[in-house]
Amino acid sequence: MTSISLPMPTVGVPLPGRGCDCTRCAFWMGPDGRGGPATVEPLCSGSNADCSYCGCAATEAGSSAGACGSCPIRCGSRTDIAAWMHDVGGTLAFDDLSVEGELPQLPSFIPMTDGSSVTALDASLRWPAYGVGLRRVFSPDTHTIYPRFAGKDARQVLGLGEQQKAVLVGYGEDPLVEAFWSYRRRDGLVEELASQAWDVILSPNYSIYGNWPRAEHLLNMRRCLMIAQEFHEAGAVAVPNVYWYRLQDLERYRAWFDDVPAPGVAMNLQTVRENNNWDSWALPGLYWLAENLPEDLPVLLTGLSRADRIAQAVALFGDRLTLISQNPHQYALHGAVMTANGREDIHARPGDAFAVTVRYMSSLLPRR
């Protein structure tokens, strides 16, 4: 009897290695940077030693087809990993993605509000731009656009004047942005938000955590750029959000921004509260980006509120930096203000407290 060697069946797209096995992974750079035996796209230096999900029992042989249904982590062992690879276009590279456009004139500081009219808060300010978070526009419960914004012009909803700008800050907790991703095509969510005539949309951010498998990192970095491209194609001025975990991630972004005339780069730092995370991850990455991104690329940072961190960001990015923060609104709800001495509970009227904090935070940034 003669044995005949048959090719292994394929799913038509490259897949991460099952069990984070680099030798079976389509994205491993290999020991010399030229890939391994299964490499299709050499863009990953290897599995994440800090991953908490390796050896997941739910994906072992014999598990049911829905074993991964309740797991939020996308790894090479998922029973539906091929579907996820199809969902992001069958690649984890950035080469096929493009986001073009030019930012309108923005102030160096943009306060965020709750999505209702800013008329009372803006009475004594006439501030050039206001931001609104995604959760104020897209419901985390119904996964639809709130009636307040559905079919409306965002600037009219916010009560802005002709020269004032409306910025959609497309960030949110993981369940919110994951739901937006899942329903966006079925319900035309990207097109709906683009039709609301936001002057700028910071595209949704898909998280990268240190204890997640490398495949999840790679998928989410691509999704951050994909969703920005979709907003751009829908007619919006879209700024892609970037997250990173390794130096090679930053290097991939540099190559992409060198080739793509993006209107800017955005980073969400709202969850970087502890000094350890700031010193070990955020600040080193910001230093590298400041040194390596195009010198004229606008940088939009969301979430910085401490004066010392703002000063560090200003030292790195200078007058191309735009800071977006919800602190003035949060403080104003309690009659508090932010000053050089920190938070002061002065029991002021919300509009007055809001104006004080906006002016103070703006004073920490270069005039524009």
Side-chain angles (χ1 to χ4, degrees):
M1 181 175 180
T2 303
S3 63
I4 300 175
S5 178
L6 297 175
M8 291 292 292
T10 65
V11 294
V13 295
L15 300 179
R18 185 175 175 87
C20 294
D21 182 351
C22 292
T23 64
R24 294 193 294 169
C25 182
F27 308 104
W28 187 40
M29 288 181 175
D32 55 6
R34 292 184 292 180
T39 302
V40 176
E41 296 178 355
L43 50 79
C44 179
S45 57
S47 60
N48 181 13
D50 295 323
C51 178
S52 301
Y53 296 86
C54 290
C56 173
T59 59
E60 293 177 353
S63 296
S64 66
C68 302
S70 61
C71 180
I73 304 303
R74 287 154 280 253
C75 68
S77 298
R78 281 189 71 103
T79 55
D80 61 351
I81 190 60
W84 271 101
M85 285 302 304
H86 277 293
D87 192 51
V88 298
T91 177
L92 296 179
F94 300 157
D95 299 348
D96 61 320
L97 302 175
S98 180
V99 180
E100 302 178 13
E102 184 176 348
L103 281 183
Q105 183 64 39
L106 297 174
S108 56
F109 178 71
I110 299 176
M112 294 176 63
T113 71
D114 63 1
S116 56
S117 173
V118 303
T119 302
L121 294 177
D122 190 52
S124 65
L125 281 173
R126 301 303 297 169
W127 206 250
Y130 283 90
V132 177
L134 181 63
R135 69 186 180 94
R136 308 292 189 178
V137 181
F138 175 67
S139 169
D141 299 317
T142 66
H143 302 152
T144 60
I145 304 298
Y146 282 118
R148 178 193 303 167
F149 283 95
K152 309 289 179 53
D153 183 294
R155 294 171 64 255
Q156 292 180 0
V157 175
L158 298 177
L160 298 178
E162 291 185 4
Q163 302 303 317
Q164 293 175 297
K165 304 295 191 296
V167 178
L168 177 62
V169 182
Y171 306 153
E173 295 181 348
D174 292 333
L176 181 76
V177 295
E178 291 293 346
F180 187 86
W181 178 272
S182 298
Y183 292 102
R184 76 194 193 285
R185 289 176 176 160
R186 188 196 72 179
D187 298 337
L189 296 174
V190 169
E191 292 75 15
E192 168 69 8
L193 293 184
S195 72
Q196 293 168 6
W198 298 90
D199 294 283
V200 181
I201 294 179
L202 307 189
S203 64
N205 56 316
Y206 293 94
S207 298
I208 291 179
Y209 293 105
N211 68 331
W212 279 2
R214 190 64 181 150
E216 177 83 335
H217 293 176
L218 298 173
L219 281 163
N220 285 351
M221 283 185 282
R222 179 167 169 84
R223 288 201 291 161
C224 284
L225 300 187
M226 276 185 68
I227 197 76
Q229 175 176 277
E230 291 178 14
F231 274 110
H232 161 64
E233 291 174 343
V237 176
V239 181
N241 177 84
V242 300
Y243 278 142
W244 61 89
Y245 186 67
R246 296 177 178 171
L247 175 60
Q248 70 190 78
D249 303 334
L250 295 170
E251 291 172 337
R252 292 178 67 209
Y253 286 131
R254 174 179 60 183
W256 189 77
F257 280 104
D258 282 344
D259 292 339
V260 173
V265 58
M267 284 153 270
N268 178 21
L269 303 173
Q270 294 180 85
T271 60
V272 187
R273 298 185 179 92
E274 298 179 357
N275 286 335
N276 179 57
N277 290 333
W278 174 257
D279 293 335
S280 65
W281 174 76
L283 189 57
L286 294 176
Y287 265 99
W288 195 95
L289 291 168
E291 181 71 22
N292 291 279
L293 288 179
E295 293 181 356
D296 60 347
L297 185 70
V299 176
L300 298 92
L301 301 183
T302 300
L304 292 186
S305 59
R306 289 171 39 176
D308 59 335
R309 293 186 180 180
I310 294 174
Q312 289 175 306
V314 170
L316 291 174
F317 299 110
D319 60 7
R320 62 173 167 151
L321 172 66
T322 296
L323 178 64
I324 303 170
S325 175
Q326 58 186 347
N327 278 68
H329 187 261
Q330 290 180 329
Y331 278 32
L333 292 176
H334 304 283
V337 299
M338 181 184 293
T339 70
N341 297 320
R343 174 173 171 149
E344 295 185 14
D345 293 297
I346 61 174
H347 308 293
R349 292 183 303 177
D352 295 336
F354 181 82
V356 168
T357 303
V358 168
R359 291 190 179 107
Y360 168 69
M361 295 192 72
S362 178
S363 74
L364 301 176
L365 297 156
R367 290 188 178 275
R368 186 178 297 163

